[in-house]
Amino acid sequence: MNKHTIVALMQDKPGALNRTVSLFRRRGFNIESLSVGHTETEGVSRMTMVVESADVEQVVKQLYRLIEVLKVSDVTADPTVEREMVVVKIHAPSEKRAEIVALSEVFGAKIVDVGASTMILEMTGAPSKVENFVDVIRPFGVKEMMRTGRIAMVRGARGHGAQAYENAENGHVAEPSAALN
């Protein structure tokens, strides 16, 4: 099965996330990661979902039936910039700290907290780079870890700008003009 990255612009309304996730559940898709946040336009949120499936065409069509959904795209094959963040607390005895600091510098990670025997590191990068970072620091002993999930943005002029949906009252808004694509 392939991993698909789906980007959706949605109205920022109560219950929209639940309806979207329920649609995936009813169709039997497992959501590997889900990130939601505000866009440049008030009242419009952007959702990035990573789903493992042979095909997601039907679920993309179903998403358009949700009243809050403004635009949906499977950007898996598109040239994108993808990022993910991890915050991890590791076991860090004093004799290992220099090694941890050196590894953090190699990966561009930040040390955001230092305790008596622990350190909390923050790293942002491409999902594969985050995975490599986690693999490298795991032998020190991971006490806690949280990953944000993938966010993606299509490169170039084509994209998912939310400005075209600034006054959207429901999900049935005309497709934005070609000037945005």
Side-chain angles (χ1 to χ4, degrees):
M1 286 204 214
N2 301 328
K3 287 186 181 178
H4 292 268
T5 303
I6 299 169
V7 174
L9 293 177
M10 309 179 67
Q11 293 176 335
D12 187 11
K13 296 200 171 178
L17 177 61
N18 181 45
R19 284 185 281 284
T20 303
V21 171
S22 293
L23 188 148
F24 279 85
R25 178 188 48 80
R26 286 192 307 270
R27 296 287 176 184
F29 289 96
N30 183 40
I31 300 173
E32 182 180 300
S33 74
L34 172 70
S35 297
V36 184
H38 296 285
T39 64
E40 68 278 13
T41 302
E42 187 175 330
V44 178
S45 294
R46 182 183 178 109
M47 180 182 298
T48 305
M49 296 163 278
V50 177
V51 178
E52 191 168 318
S53 175
D55 186 26
V56 294
E57 182 181 343
Q58 190 61 36
V59 77
V60 167
K61 289 179 180 175
Q62 293 288 318
L63 281 169
Y64 272 113
R65 298 179 77 182
L66 298 176
I67 193 94
E68 298 91 354
V69 173
L70 303 170
K71 183 174 182 177
V72 183
S73 296
D74 178 0
V75 299
T76 306
D78 295 340
T80 57
V81 173
E82 297 179 341
R83 292 291 180 263
E84 184 175 340
M85 185 172 96
V86 62
V87 176
V88 59
K89 182 189 293 182
I90 61 172
H91 181 66
S94 58
E95 66 272 10
K96 297 284 186 184
R97 290 189 178 193
E99 186 179 358
I100 293 168
V101 169
L103 287 171
S104 296
E105 288 175 3
V106 168
F107 281 91
K110 296 177 187 170
I111 298 167
V112 294
D113 186 64
V114 178
S117 63
T118 62
M119 294 175 87
I120 298 177
L121 309 171
E122 170 192 323
M123 191 264 182
T124 302
S128 60
K129 187 176 178 183
V130 170
E131 191 64 40
N132 289 343
F133 176 67
V134 170
D135 288 344
V136 167
I137 61 167
R138 192 176 297 278
F140 292 99
V142 173
K143 293 182 166 285
E144 294 179 48
M145 181 171 70
M146 177 64 193
R147 293 172 73 157
T148 60
R150 186 180 307 183
I151 58 172
M153 190 169 284
V154 175
R155 293 178 184 260
R158 189 177 151 258
H160 292 80
Q163 306 93 344
Y165 305 102
E166 190 166 340
N167 296 317
E169 290 298 319
N170 61 43
H172 304 285
V173 176
E175 186 69 19
S177 70
L180 294 175
N181 293 327

